[in-house]
Protein backbone atom coordinates (compact mmCIF):
# COMPACT_ATOMS: atom_id res chain seq x y z
CA UNK A 1 0.00 0.00 0.00
CA UNK A 2 1.07 3.56 -0.67
CA UNK A 3 -0.06 6.73 1.09
CA UNK A 4 0.81 10.18 -0.30
CA UNK A 5 0.32 13.15 2.00
CA UNK A 6 0.16 16.71 0.66
CA UNK A 7 1.02 19.43 3.17
CA UNK A 8 2.50 22.89 3.67
CA UNK A 9 4.15 21.80 6.93
CA UNK A 10 5.90 18.48 6.22
CA UNK A 11 7.86 18.77 9.49
CA UNK A 12 4.63 18.12 11.43
CA UNK A 13 4.46 14.63 9.93
CA UNK A 14 8.07 13.57 10.45
CA UNK A 15 7.90 12.14 13.95
CA UNK A 16 4.46 10.47 13.89
CA UNK A 17 5.41 8.52 10.78
CA UNK A 18 8.92 7.46 11.71
CA UNK A 19 8.52 5.52 14.96
CA UNK A 20 6.70 2.63 16.55
CA UNK A 21 4.29 0.52 14.47
CA UNK A 22 4.04 2.91 11.50
CA UNK A 23 7.81 3.45 11.37
CA UNK A 24 8.43 -0.30 11.50
CA UNK A 25 5.80 -1.00 8.82
CA UNK A 26 7.60 1.45 6.52
CA UNK A 27 10.97 -0.14 7.34
CA UNK A 28 9.53 -3.61 6.59
CA UNK A 29 8.19 -2.38 3.24
CA UNK A 30 4.57 -3.11 4.18
CA UNK A 31 3.58 0.46 3.38
CA UNK A 32 5.17 3.43 1.62
CA UNK A 33 4.32 6.87 2.93
CA UNK A 34 5.43 9.89 0.91
CA UNK A 35 5.07 13.40 2.26
CA UNK A 36 4.90 16.14 -0.39
CA UNK A 37 5.52 19.79 0.29
CA UNK A 38 2.91 21.84 -1.56
CA UNK A 39 5.40 24.69 -1.73
CA UNK A 40 7.10 22.78 -4.55
CA UNK A 41 4.28 24.21 -6.69
CA UNK A 42 4.22 27.62 -5.02
CA UNK A 43 3.83 30.71 -7.21
CA UNK A 44 6.35 33.48 -7.74
CA UNK A 45 9.74 34.03 -6.12
CA UNK A 46 8.29 33.46 -2.63
CA UNK A 47 6.69 30.17 -3.66
CA UNK A 48 3.32 31.40 -2.49
CA UNK A 49 0.72 28.71 -1.75
CA UNK A 50 -1.89 30.71 0.17
CA UNK A 51 -3.89 33.83 -0.52
CA UNK A 52 -6.61 36.00 0.98
CA UNK A 53 -10.14 34.70 1.25
CA UNK A 54 -12.71 36.09 -1.24
CA UNK A 55 -15.45 37.90 0.60
CA UNK A 56 -13.12 39.53 3.07
CA UNK A 57 -13.11 36.86 5.79
CA UNK A 58 -10.05 36.77 8.00
CA UNK A 59 -7.53 34.01 7.33
CA UNK A 60 -5.64 32.61 4.37
CA UNK A 61 -6.75 29.90 1.97
CA UNK A 62 -4.54 27.32 0.23
CA UNK A 63 -4.70 28.32 -3.43
CA UNK A 64 -6.31 26.26 -6.16
CA UNK A 65 -3.36 26.15 -8.63
CA UNK A 66 -0.61 24.56 -6.51
CA UNK A 67 -3.05 21.94 -5.20
CA UNK A 68 -4.37 21.24 -8.70
CA UNK A 69 -0.83 20.81 -10.00
CA UNK A 70 0.29 18.57 -7.15
CA UNK A 71 -2.78 16.30 -7.36
CA UNK A 72 -2.56 16.15 -11.16
CA UNK A 73 1.14 15.23 -11.14
CA UNK A 74 0.70 12.54 -8.48
CA UNK A 75 -2.36 11.14 -10.28
CA UNK A 76 -0.36 10.89 -13.51
CA UNK A 77 2.06 8.54 -11.76
CA UNK A 78 -0.54 6.15 -10.33
CA UNK A 79 -4.26 5.75 -9.94
CA UNK A 80 -5.57 6.75 -6.52
CA UNK A 81 -8.37 4.76 -4.92
CA UNK A 82 -9.23 7.80 -2.83
CA UNK A 83 -8.14 11.44 -2.75
CA UNK A 84 -9.06 12.43 0.78
CA UNK A 85 -9.28 15.95 2.17
CA UNK A 86 -8.86 16.13 5.94
CA UNK A 87 -11.71 18.36 7.04
CA UNK A 88 -13.66 19.09 10.23
CA UNK A 89 -16.90 18.82 8.23
CA UNK A 90 -16.05 15.43 6.69
CA UNK A 91 -17.35 12.00 7.78
CA UNK A 92 -16.01 11.26 11.23
CA UNK A 93 -13.27 8.64 11.19
CA UNK A 94 -14.12 5.32 12.82
CA UNK A 95 -12.77 1.77 12.79
CA UNK A 96 -15.04 0.82 9.89
CA UNK A 97 -13.54 3.55 7.67
CA UNK A 98 -10.00 2.54 8.76
CA UNK A 99 -10.75 -1.10 7.88
CA UNK A 100 -12.11 -0.07 4.49
CA UNK A 101 -9.13 2.18 3.67
CA UNK A 102 -6.61 -0.46 4.77
CA UNK A 103 -7.71 -2.59 1.79
CA UNK A 104 -6.83 0.10 -0.79
CA UNK A 105 -3.69 0.31 -2.90
CA UNK A 106 -3.08 4.06 -3.23
CA UNK A 107 -4.47 6.80 -1.06
CA UNK A 108 -3.78 10.54 -1.14
CA UNK A 109 -4.36 12.63 1.98
CA UNK A 110 -4.60 16.40 1.58
CA UNK A 111 -3.93 18.56 4.62
CA UNK A 112 -5.50 21.98 4.75
CA UNK A 113 -4.05 24.84 6.75
CA UNK A 114 -5.10 28.32 7.88
CA UNK A 115 -8.73 28.80 6.73
CA UNK A 116 -8.73 25.64 4.60
CA UNK A 117 -8.30 24.94 0.88
CA UNK A 118 -9.94 26.56 -2.16
CA UNK A 119 -13.33 24.85 -2.35
CA UNK A 120 -12.97 24.07 -6.07
CA UNK A 121 -10.41 21.37 -5.20
CA UNK A 122 -12.99 19.76 -2.93
CA UNK A 123 -15.65 19.97 -5.62
CA UNK A 124 -13.62 18.70 -8.54
CA UNK A 125 -10.72 16.56 -7.32
CA UNK A 126 -11.34 15.25 -3.80
CA UNK A 127 -13.22 11.92 -3.63
CA UNK A 128 -13.77 11.79 0.11
CA UNK A 129 -13.54 14.03 3.19
CA UNK A 130 -12.63 12.75 6.62
CA UNK A 131 -12.75 14.45 10.01
CA UNK A 132 -11.09 13.24 13.19
CA UNK A 133 -13.83 14.73 15.36
CA UNK A 134 -16.02 17.75 15.99
CA UNK A 135 -13.33 20.23 16.89
CA UNK A 136 -11.02 22.39 14.79
CA UNK A 137 -7.26 21.90 14.58
CA UNK A 138 -4.71 24.23 13.00
CA UNK A 139 -3.93 21.94 10.10
CA UNK A 140 -4.73 18.60 8.51
CA UNK A 141 -1.31 17.10 9.35
CA UNK A 142 -2.20 15.59 12.74
CA UNK A 143 -5.51 14.26 11.33
CA UNK A 144 -3.61 12.77 8.36
CA UNK A 145 -1.17 11.09 10.75
CA UNK A 146 -4.14 9.69 12.69
CA UNK A 147 -5.72 8.31 9.51
CA UNK A 148 -2.39 6.83 8.35
CA UNK A 149 -1.76 5.20 11.74
CA UNK A 150 -5.28 3.77 11.97
CA UNK A 151 -4.88 2.23 8.50
CA UNK A 152 -1.30 1.00 8.69
CA UNK A 153 -1.73 -1.02 11.90
CA UNK A 154 -4.46 -3.03 10.13
CA UNK A 155 -2.28 -4.11 7.21
CA UNK A 156 -1.24 -7.74 7.76
CA UNK A 157 2.32 -7.87 9.04
CA UNK A 158 2.31 -4.38 10.57
CA UNK A 159 1.63 -5.73 14.04
CA UNK A 160 3.86 -8.52 15.25
CA UNK A 161 0.91 -10.51 16.56
CA UNK A 162 -1.72 -10.01 13.87
CA UNK A 163 -4.59 -11.10 16.04
CA UNK A 164 -3.98 -8.21 18.40
CA UNK A 165 -5.66 -5.78 15.99
CA UNK A 166 -8.72 -8.02 15.91
CA UNK A 167 -9.22 -7.82 19.66
CA UNK A 168 -8.94 -4.02 19.77
CA UNK A 169 -11.85 -1.77 20.67
CA UNK A 170 -14.50 -1.25 17.94
CA UNK A 171 -13.17 -4.09 15.78
CA UNK A 172 -16.28 -6.15 16.54
CA UNK A 173 -18.42 -3.15 17.36
CA UNK A 174 -17.56 -3.33 21.06
CA UNK A 175 -15.06 -1.97 23.52
CA UNK A 176 -12.33 -4.41 24.51
CA UNK A 177 -11.75 -6.07 27.86
CA UNK A 178 -9.24 -4.51 30.30
CA UNK A 179 -5.65 -5.76 30.10
CA UNK A 180 -3.10 -6.48 32.83
CA UNK A 181 0.53 -7.51 33.03
CA UNK A 182 2.91 -8.76 35.74
CA UNK A 183 3.08 -8.63 38.71
CA UNK A 184 -0.18 -10.36 39.65
CA UNK A 185 -0.40 -8.16 42.71
CA UNK A 186 0.92 -4.63 43.20
CA UNK A 187 0.20 -2.37 46.15
CA UNK A 188 -2.57 -4.78 47.13
CA UNK A 189 -4.20 -4.28 43.67
CA UNK A 190 -4.91 -7.69 42.17
CA UNK A 191 -5.20 -8.90 38.60
CA UNK A 192 -8.59 -10.67 38.15
CA UNK A 193 -8.20 -14.30 39.28
CA UNK A 194 -9.57 -15.77 36.06
CA UNK A 195 -6.67 -14.34 34.01
CA UNK A 196 -4.23 -16.36 36.12
CA UNK A 197 -6.25 -19.59 35.68
CA UNK A 198 -4.52 -20.67 32.48
CA UNK A 199 -7.92 -21.78 31.16
CA UNK A 200 -8.42 -20.19 27.71
CA UNK A 201 -12.17 -20.92 27.66
CA UNK A 202 -12.79 -19.24 31.00
CA UNK A 203 -10.55 -16.33 30.05
CA UNK A 204 -12.35 -15.82 26.74
CA UNK A 205 -15.75 -15.93 28.48
CA UNK A 206 -14.57 -13.33 31.01
CA UNK A 207 -13.22 -11.09 28.24
CA UNK A 208 -16.49 -11.29 26.31
CA UNK A 209 -18.49 -10.50 29.42
CA UNK A 210 -16.23 -7.53 30.22
CA UNK A 211 -16.53 -6.27 26.65
CA UNK A 212 -20.33 -6.30 26.81
CA UNK A 213 -20.39 -4.76 30.29
CA UNK A 214 -17.95 -1.97 29.42
CA UNK A 215 -19.70 -1.22 26.14
CA UNK A 216 -23.07 -1.03 27.91
CA UNK A 217 -21.64 1.26 30.59
CA UNK A 218 -19.36 3.51 28.50
CA UNK A 219 -20.69 3.47 24.93
CA UNK A 220 -24.25 2.07 24.90
CA UNK A 221 -24.80 3.55 21.43
CA UNK A 222 -22.43 0.94 19.95
CA UNK A 223 -24.77 -1.89 21.01
CA UNK A 224 -27.69 -0.30 19.12
CA UNK A 225 -25.61 -0.13 15.95
N1 LIG B 1 -12.14 27.05 8.36
C1 LIG B 1 -12.27 25.66 8.49
C2 LIG B 1 -11.23 25.09 9.46
C3 LIG B 1 -9.84 25.20 8.97
S1 LIG B 1 -8.74 24.44 10.05
C4 LIG B 1 -13.63 25.30 9.01
O1 LIG B 1 -14.21 26.08 9.76
O2 LIG B 1 -14.12 24.21 8.68
C5 LIG B 1 -7.36 24.18 8.99
C6 LIG B 1 -7.24 22.80 8.42
O3 LIG B 1 -7.07 21.87 9.47
C7 LIG B 1 -8.41 22.31 7.61
O4 LIG B 1 -8.29 22.72 6.29
C8 LIG B 1 -8.31 20.81 7.75
O5 LIG B 1 -7.45 20.25 6.75
C9 LIG B 1 -7.63 20.62 9.10
N2 LIG B 1 -8.54 20.22 10.19
C10 LIG B 1 -8.93 20.99 11.23
N3 LIG B 1 -9.75 20.32 12.05
C11 LIG B 1 -9.87 19.08 11.54
C12 LIG B 1 -10.61 17.92 11.92
N4 LIG B 1 -11.38 17.91 13.01
N5 LIG B 1 -10.50 16.82 11.15
C13 LIG B 1 -9.74 16.83 10.04
N6 LIG B 1 -9.05 17.90 9.61
C14 LIG B 1 -9.10 19.01 10.34
Amino acid sequence: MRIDIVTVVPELLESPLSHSIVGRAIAKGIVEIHVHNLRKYGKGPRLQVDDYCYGGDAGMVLMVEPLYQMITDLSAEREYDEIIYMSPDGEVLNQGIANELSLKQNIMLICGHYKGIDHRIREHMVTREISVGDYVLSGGEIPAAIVADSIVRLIPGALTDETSALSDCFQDGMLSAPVYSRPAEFNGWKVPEVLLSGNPKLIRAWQDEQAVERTRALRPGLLDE
Side-chain angles (χ1 to χ4, degrees), residues 85-89 110-117 122 130-141 143:
Y85 173 51
M86 304 312 310
S87 181
D89 56 12
I110 299 172
C111 308
H113 225 84
Y114 317 114
K115 228 20 214 165
I117 67 173
R122 300 173 65 175
I130 294 180
S131 163
V132 292
D134 290 347
Y135 44 85
V136 176
L137 298 165
S138 314
E141 289 76 15

Side-chain angles (χ1 to χ4, degrees), residues 1-219:
M1 171 180 221
R2 177 178 167 124
I3 302 174
D4 289 277
I5 307 181
V6 176
T7 169
V8 285
V9 198
E11 297 81 5
L12 279 174
L13 286 156
E14 275 165 22
S15 176
L17 301 178
S18 14
H19 305 282
S20 182
I21 291 167
V22 176
R24 284 199 292 275
I26 294 171
K28 283 195 234 167
I30 289 167
V31 63
E32 275 180 49
I33 304 185
H34 298 267
V35 176
H36 305 274
N37 192 341
L38 186 64
R39 217 162 278 281
K40 176 177 168 197
Y41 294 98
K43 290 183 60 169
R46 287 183 46 247
L47 300 178
Q48 183 184 358
V49 288
D50 56 338
D51 208 341
Y52 293 102
C53 197
Y54 271 125
D57 273 356
M60 304 298 274
V61 174
L62 293 185
M63 296 153 75
V64 67
E65 290 115 315
L67 280 165
Y68 175 84
Q69 210 52 59
M70 172 73 85
I71 297 169
T72 303
D73 282 3
L74 287 172
S75 303
E77 286 166 27
R78 69 198 61 77
E79 198 173 323
Y80 286 92
D81 300 298
E82 297 280 11
I83 298 178
I84 300 170
Y85 173 51
M86 304 312 310
S87 181
D89 56 12
E91 50 179 334
V92 179
L93 182 65
N94 59 31
Q95 196 62 34
I97 297 174
N99 284 335
E100 190 192 324
L101 294 177
S102 73
L103 303 173
K104 310 279 187 197
Q105 271 310 305
N106 298 307
I107 290 176
M108 194 191 303
L109 301 177
I110 299 172
C111 308
H113 225 84
Y114 317 114
K115 228 20 214 165
I117 67 173
D118 191 300
H119 201 72
R120 287 167 287 187
I121 295 293
R122 300 173 65 175
E123 286 171 323
H124 299 289
M125 302 189 99
V126 163
T127 61
R128 191 162 187 171
E129 302 191 328
I130 294 180
S131 163
V132 292
D134 290 347
Y135 44 85
V136 176
L137 298 165
S138 314
E141 289 76 15
I142 294 171
I146 291 173
V147 168
D149 187 309
S150 73
I151 297 173
V152 169
R153 65 199 309 286
L154 294 169
I155 304 174
L159 298 180
T160 35
D161 178 2
E162 269 183 50
T163 56
S164 72
L166 299 177
S167 61
D168 279 340
C169 276
F170 309 114
Q171 207 49 270
D172 54 4
M174 287 219 257
L175 302 185
S176 57
V179 290
Y180 301 86
S181 183
R182 289 187 293 180
E185 183 170 345
F186 169 77
N187 227 4
W189 306 334
K190 289 185 178 156
V191 169
E193 204 67 47
V194 59
L195 294 178
L196 311 175
S197 69
N199 181 331
K201 255 199 188 146
L202 279 181
I203 293 174
R204 184 68 223 223
W206 178 84
Q207 286 170 331
D208 288 348
E209 187 188 295
Q210 286 289 316
V212 175
E213 231 168 73
R214 288 175 62 77
T215 309
R216 193 171 286 142
L218 302 172
R219 296 289 300 277

